């Protein structure tokens, strides 16, 4: 205790222990029971309370003799130390810490430095360990650790890298597995032109984490390591300074988006519920068959809500069903990190490390991530931002059932357009074409398109070029008129996008599922259940059900419920066209050899 005469302390170990407990708790009272247990280590029975009274008396006498301003007061339950006009180091420390929260970095650094200067060794170091409240001492150590962490951060902000290093090193010595402390130390080292030392520090803590805990470094440490590897920036820039880019990557919205008002409203409602409460999934999936307009709907919604994502809008085509191989999660993360401003040298090795840095960069952003044309759940999961204020929109031909099982996901499926919407879209697209005055003709064409937006655009392109999709014979109720129209979407000219799109879904199937699909397409069934499909293919009902679900996952058949599955004319026509376009060997390979429809698949 500091008095006018200097620093004094009681000679008695017991009186020092009592004084320490009261000082650390001041201005709050401490119960007699707690003091008895703490000061005497819980060694004595109840009669020790009389010993406590005597020790309090000795403490009061010592305070008077030392000319201290403090006094010990009795309360209903125990004792309280009144410091009078003085204050304790711990009270002063806490006052300075609170004040540092309200000022700028420069002043905060000075206040934190002053607060930590009040620490002189360990709390109650001159009191026997068995007379100390261990929980109270641990709490005080935690407060000092917090102050050191804040001092290191403030020192970095004002370019006092030596002080930052000193504070961070102390934290690292206190807890060698404290990743945040090591990250602060690495940042101070890099800014002091000691990058190689920082990288050695990372390597050492990485090995320690693996040896002691069996884990890899977390996202904070990985982000600083990535910055250290790529560091060429000015000394005042921190590890995320290169990652402050605000991406604006959404493609332009479609000039014609007719229909989908119901789906658009569902997506809007879900997003609003998430934004308002945060309790709804931050991931939405739009799934549906090839050409259903998933990307158009997603981009339209995203462009409409761009002002809700001030920290950026990321867009990536995952090429799940495009020409060539789908992007791997690793490739996609490299692209996303580059869009967030990470230089090539700053992108860590491995999917887990990349995903950790990606989540770190999005953690405090309100951003939109559009993952277009996803192949499967394994491709998508590492690309989800994780906890934070970002929203992810995924489009895929697959239902992504596995993703739904592993993550909280809001999902909606796009089917065919309603009849009037399909007719309106076709009419709008061919408003200058020769057949627009024949409402019945356009309605028949829209039906032949299966109300599929991409098929409607393909038909409109042909009509606009003057191609007659319907001749007099077709108009005369030919039994095959719908199939004749369907086939026009798979002819070998520049308008084969629909055939290619369905083909990519088809050829992504396992061979057995392709054979099964071809068998269904050649049959007389438009609606079928697992039992009928099993009889048709010569399979067990469970086996047939699994194959039907495989087709439904890619929306090659519709699954309206009740155990029924529907195969529309458009996909049936694709299968028939494919059979005519393959050579004999290829036909056999995909199940088109004569009689394949009646041979059991199993």
């Amino acid at each position: 205790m500091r008095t006018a005469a200097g620093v004094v302390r009681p000679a008695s170990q017991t009186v020092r222990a009592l004084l320490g407990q009261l000082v650390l708790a001041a201005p709050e009272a401490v119960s007699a029971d707690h003091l008895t247990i703490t000061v005497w280590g819980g060694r004595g029975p109840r009669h020790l309370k009389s010993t406590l009274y005597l020790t309090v008396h000795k403490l009061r006498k010592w305070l008077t003799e030392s000319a201290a301003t403090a006094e010990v007061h009795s309360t209903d339950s125990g004792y309280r130390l009144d410091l009078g006009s003085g204050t304790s180091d711990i009270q002063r420390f806490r006052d300075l810490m609170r004040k540092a929260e309200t000022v700028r970095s420069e002043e905060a650094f000075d206040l934190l430095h002053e607060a930590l200067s009040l620490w002189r060794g360990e709390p109650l170091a001159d009191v026997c360990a068995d007379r100390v409240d261990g929980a109270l001492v641990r709490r005080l150590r935690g407060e000092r650790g917090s102050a050191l962490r804040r001092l290191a951060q403030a020192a970095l902000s004002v370019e006092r890298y030596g002080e930052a290093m000193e504070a961070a090193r102390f934290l690292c010595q206190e807890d060698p597995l404290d990743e945040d402390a090591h990250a602060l130390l690495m940042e101070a080292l890099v800014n002091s032109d000691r990058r190689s030392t920082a990288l050695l520090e990372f390597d050492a803590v990485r090995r320690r984490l693996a040896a002691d805990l069996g884990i890899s470094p977390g996202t904070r440490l990985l982000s600083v390591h990535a910055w250290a590897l790529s560091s060429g920036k000015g000394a005042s820039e921190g590890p995320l300074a290169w990652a402050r880019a605000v991406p604006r990557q959404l493609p332009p919205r479609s000039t014609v988006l007719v229909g989908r008002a119901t789906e658009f409203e569902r997506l809007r409602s879900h997003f609003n519920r998430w934004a308002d409460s945060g309790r709804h999934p931050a991931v939405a999936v739009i799934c549906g068959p090839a050409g259903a307009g998933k990307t158009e709907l997603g981009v339209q919604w995203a462009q409409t809500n761009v002002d809700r994502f001030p920290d950026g809008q990321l867009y990536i085509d995952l090429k799940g069903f495009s020409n060539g191989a789908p992007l791997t999660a690793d490739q996609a993360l490299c692209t996303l990190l580059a869009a967030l401003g990470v230089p090539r040298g700053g992108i860590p090795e491995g999917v887990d490390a990349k995903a950790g840095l990606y989540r770190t960069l999005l953690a405090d952003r309100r951003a939109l991530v559009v993952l277009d044309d996803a192949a499967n759940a394994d491709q998508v999961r590492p690309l989800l931002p994780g906890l934070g204020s970002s929203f992810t929109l995924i489009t895929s031909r697959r239902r992504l059932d596995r993703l739904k099982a592993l993550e909280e996901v809001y999902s909606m499926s796009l089917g065919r357009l309603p009849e009037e919407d399909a007719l309106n879209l076709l009419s709008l697209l061919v408003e200058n074409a020769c057949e627009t005055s024949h409402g019945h003709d356009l309605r028949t064409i829209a039906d032949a398109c299966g109300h599929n937006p991409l098929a409607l655009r393909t038909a409109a392109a042909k009509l606009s070029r003057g191609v007659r999709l319907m001749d007099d014979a077709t108009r005369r109720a030919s039994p095959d008129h719908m199939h004749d129209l369907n086939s026009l979407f798979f002819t070998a000219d520049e308008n084969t996008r629909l055939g290619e799109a369905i083909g990519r879904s088809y050829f992504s199937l396992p061979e057995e599922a392709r054979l099964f699909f071809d068998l269904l397409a050649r049959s007389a069934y438009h609606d079928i259940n697992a039992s009928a499909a099993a009889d048709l293919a010569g399979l067990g009902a469970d086996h047939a059900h699994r194959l039907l679900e495989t087709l439904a996952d890619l929306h090659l058949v519709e699954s309206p419920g009740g155990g029924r599955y529907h195969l529309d004319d458009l996909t049936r026509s694709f299968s028939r066209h494919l059979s005519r376009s393959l050579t004999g060997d290829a036909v056999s390979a995909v199940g088109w050899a004569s009689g394949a429809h009646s041979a059991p698949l199993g």
Side-chain angles (χ1 to χ4, degrees):
M1 180 172 288
R2 285 185 294 274
T3 68
V7 177
V8 296
R9 67 174 185 170
S12 165
Q13 181 76 237
T14 306
V15 174
R16 284 204 304 269
L18 178 61
L19 175 62
Q21 293 299 317
L22 293 174
V23 168
L24 294 181
E28 301 299 324
V30 184
S31 72
D33 287 340
H34 184 77
L35 288 171
T36 300
I37 292 171
T38 303
V39 175
W40 283 273
R43 293 186 297 271
R46 288 181 177 272
H47 73 266
L48 269 181
K49 286 190 177 181
S50 61
T51 306
L52 172 62
Y53 303 150
L54 178 59
T55 306
V56 170
H57 173 72
K58 290 179 180 180
L59 175 57
R60 285 170 171 162
K61 181 179 179 182
W62 179 83
L63 289 171
T64 302
E65 292 173 349
S66 302
T69 59
E71 295 180 350
V72 178
H73 296 290
S74 299
T75 67
D76 292 339
S77 60
Y79 299 93
R80 177 178 61 83
L81 185 67
D82 182 355
L83 293 169
S85 60
T87 185
S88 68
D89 287 346
I90 191 62
Q91 286 179 330
R92 175 67 178 153
F93 169 80
R94 288 169 177 163
D95 289 342
L96 290 167
M97 291 286 289
R98 283 190 289 269
K99 189 174 180 182
E101 294 176 353
T102 65
V103 296
R104 295 179 180 275
S105 296
E106 295 85 352
E107 189 176 352
F109 172 81
D110 293 334
L111 291 169
L112 291 165
H113 195 278
E114 182 183 351
L116 284 162
S117 70
L118 297 170
W119 284 79
R120 302 173 185 85
E122 290 296 312
L124 304 180
D126 60 349
V127 177
C128 290
D130 60 357
R131 296 178 183 270
V132 171
D133 184 343
L136 182 59
V137 171
R138 285 192 295 274
R139 181 161 64 87
L140 291 171
R141 286 174 178 164
E143 291 184 49
R144 178 177 58 178
S146 176
L148 283 163
R149 202 175 305 274
R150 288 173 58 187
L151 178 68
Q153 292 165 340
L156 288 170
S157 299
V158 297
E159 302 180 30
R160 304 282 290 269
Y161 302 123
E163 287 91 339
M165 256 187 280
E166 184 180 354
R169 282 194 191 281
F170 187 92
L171 289 168
C172 292
Q173 291 166 1
E174 287 282 290
D175 182 1
L177 299 176
D178 185 341
E179 293 189 54
D180 283 343
H182 286 285
L184 288 168
L185 177 57
M186 288 176 62
E187 189 173 345
L189 287 166
V190 172
N191 277 310
S192 300
D193 296 325
R194 297 173 61 184
R195 188 174 71 157
S196 60
T197 306
L199 295 175
L200 289 173
E201 180 72 22
F202 174 82
D203 191 53
V205 71
R206 178 184 59 79
R207 291 198 306 270
R208 192 178 298 119
L209 287 167
D212 293 359
L213 302 178
I215 62 173
S216 299
T219 55
R220 164 76 172 144
L221 199 54
L222 285 171
S223 67
V224 179
H225 179 245
W227 168 70
L229 287 171
S230 64
S231 180
K233 301 287 186 179
S236 64
E237 294 185 328
L240 303 186
W242 37 252
R244 291 177 185 141
V246 179
R248 309 288 187 193
Q249 294 189 314
L250 293 178
R253 69 175 71 184
S254 172
T255 54
V256 179
L257 183 64
V258 176
R260 303 303 188 198
T262 300
E263 292 87 349
F264 191 96
E265 176 59 24
R266 285 173 55 198
L267 191 57
R268 185 194 69 81
S269 296
H270 170 73
F271 173 74
N272 286 341
R273 288 194 299 271
W274 170 78
D276 292 342
S277 70
R279 292 192 298 271
H280 295 270
V283 180
V285 173
I286 303 174
C287 60
K294 302 177 292 294
T295 298
E296 287 83 355
L297 174 62
V299 170
Q300 178 91 351
W301 176 85
Q303 290 284 15
T304 302
N305 291 276
V306 70
D307 61 327
R308 306 286 293 274
F309 303 101
D311 298 321
Q313 306 92 44
L314 290 160
Y315 172 90
I316 185 167
D317 181 357
L318 297 176
K319 303 185 182 302
F321 297 90
S322 299
N323 289 326
L327 292 185
T328 64
D330 193 280
Q331 291 170 327
L333 283 166
C334 286
T335 301
L336 292 166
L337 287 170
L340 288 167
V342 183
R344 181 178 298 179
I347 297 177
E349 294 293 328
V351 172
D352 290 344
K354 290 182 178 72
L357 178 57
Y358 169 69
R359 289 192 294 269
T360 297
L361 298 179
L362 288 178
D364 59 353
R365 294 186 186 226
R366 190 173 185 85
L368 173 66
V369 180
V370 179
L371 306 175
D372 193 19
D373 194 19
N376 51 51
D378 290 338
Q379 181 195 40
V380 165
R381 284 197 76 204
L383 313 182
L384 301 181
L387 297 177
S389 300
S390 293
F391 189 82
T392 305
L393 181 63
I394 303 169
T395 72
S396 179
R397 294 188 194 178
R398 294 192 186 277
R399 297 181 302 197
L400 300 181
D401 289 338
R402 185 163 178 267
L403 181 67
K404 299 173 197 174
L406 298 171
E407 306 283 348
E408 288 191 49
V409 172
Y410 173 77
S411 181
M412 59 189 298
S413 180
L414 295 190
R416 59 177 62 197
L417 285 171
E419 183 176 11
E420 289 307 311
D421 286 341
L423 183 58
N424 290 340
L425 175 59
L426 186 59
S427 300
L428 184 61
L429 290 170
V430 297
E431 59 185 15
N432 296 319
C434 57
E435 296 193 43
T436 56
S437 61
H438 301 287
H440 174 71
D441 294 346
L442 289 183
R443 189 177 297 276
T444 302
I445 292 169
D447 290 341
C449 292
H451 299 174
N452 179 290
L454 183 56
L456 292 165
R457 292 176 187 277
T458 301
K462 291 178 181 288
L463 288 170
S464 297
R465 291 186 357 253
V467 176
R468 302 282 296 184
L469 297 185
M470 300 178 63
D471 55 23
D472 291 338
T474 301
R475 292 189 181 97
R476 289 196 300 268
S478 167
D480 294 324
H481 79 281
M482 196 66 76
H483 169 62
D484 293 338
L485 282 173
N486 294 150
S487 298
L488 288 171
F489 302 126
F490 308 110
T491 56
D493 62 12
E494 69 275 17
N495 288 304
T496 58
R497 287 180 60 205
L498 181 64
E500 291 176 357
I502 298 176
R504 285 191 285 272
S505 295
Y506 173 84
F507 285 109
S508 73
L509 291 168
E511 182 179 10
E512 184 183 37
R514 291 201 302 269
L515 289 168
F516 187 72
F517 173 78
D518 296 335
L519 185 63
L520 293 178
R522 291 185 56 148
S523 74
Y525 290 106
H526 282 76
D527 289 280
I528 197 168
N529 60 21
S531 177
D535 291 342
L536 181 68
L539 300 171
D542 289 343
H543 193 171
H545 178 261
R546 287 195 297 273
L547 289 172
L548 284 167
E549 280 297 299
T550 299
L551 300 181
D553 180 51
L554 277 166
H555 294 86
L556 285 168
V557 299
E558 298 173 14
S559 178
R564 306 292 300 178
Y565 298 87
H566 175 77
L567 186 69
D568 65 28
D569 288 321
L570 204 59
T571 48
R572 294 166 72 91
S573 181
F574 162 80
S575 182
R576 290 168 177 152
H577 177 75
L578 181 67
S579 72
R580 293 198 298 268
S581 66
L582 296 177
T583 64
D585 289 342
V587 166
S588 297
V590 295
W592 282 107
S594 177
H597 64 283
S598 58
L601 293 178

